[in-house]
Amino acid sequence: MKKVEAIIRGNDFDRVKSALRQVGIVPLTAYPVQGRGVQGGVPPYDLLPKMKLEIVVKDKDVEKVVDVILKNARSGTPGDGKIFVTPVEDAIRIRTGERGNEALY
């Protein structure tokens, strides 16, 4: 299992969410955040509004999720965001006690 975290522009969120749903990835957590990268034109201590998505997926679905985010959040200009992929040791569905991949979707 892997956790895909993406920090994207807020105006790309609905498009990314819809595209993920179309490829069968429905479970996700999203929340508004503020941050900045190294893009120019923004004063060094100003934070920009973004959306952060967190999606835990089976290993076989990682590239599909990354591709969907790239295709739907990339404008080619500074500030498009970042994607981070990290390993997840375990997942437990609280309601049923299912563990691992069975607890995901």
Side-chain angles (χ1 to χ4, degrees):
M1 292 177 290
K2 299 283 191 283
K3 181 182 198 181
V4 179
E5 296 177 85
I7 300 170
I8 63 172
R9 289 186 167 105
N11 58 349
D12 293 331
F13 173 66
D14 286 335
R15 187 171 49 254
V16 170
K17 181 177 69 169
S18 177
L20 286 167
R21 185 175 36 244
Q22 288 176 357
V23 298
I25 304 297
V26 176
L28 67 86
T29 301
Y31 44 95
V33 296
Q34 291 186 334
R36 62 163 294 115
V38 295
Q39 69 266 29
V42 178
Y45 299 106
D46 283 357
L47 300 177
L48 302 171
K50 302 285 184 176
M51 285 296 289
K52 183 173 183 181
L53 286 70
E54 296 181 357
I55 310 163
V56 178
V57 296
K58 300 172 184 176
D59 288 343
K60 68 180 183 73
D61 291 331
V62 170
E63 286 308 311
K64 176 170 46 174
V65 169
V66 168
D67 288 344
V68 165
I69 295 168
L70 287 174
K71 287 177 185 168
N72 290 280
R74 178 187 286 161
S75 71
T77 59
D80 278 347
K82 295 273 190 310
I83 299 172
F84 305 97
V85 179
T86 56
V88 172
E89 191 171 317
D90 201 1
I92 301 102
R93 186 184 316 265
I94 294 172
R95 178 176 51 86
T96 63
E98 294 170 291
R99 296 184 82 115
N101 283 336
E102 290 76 33
L104 295 182
Y105 39 91

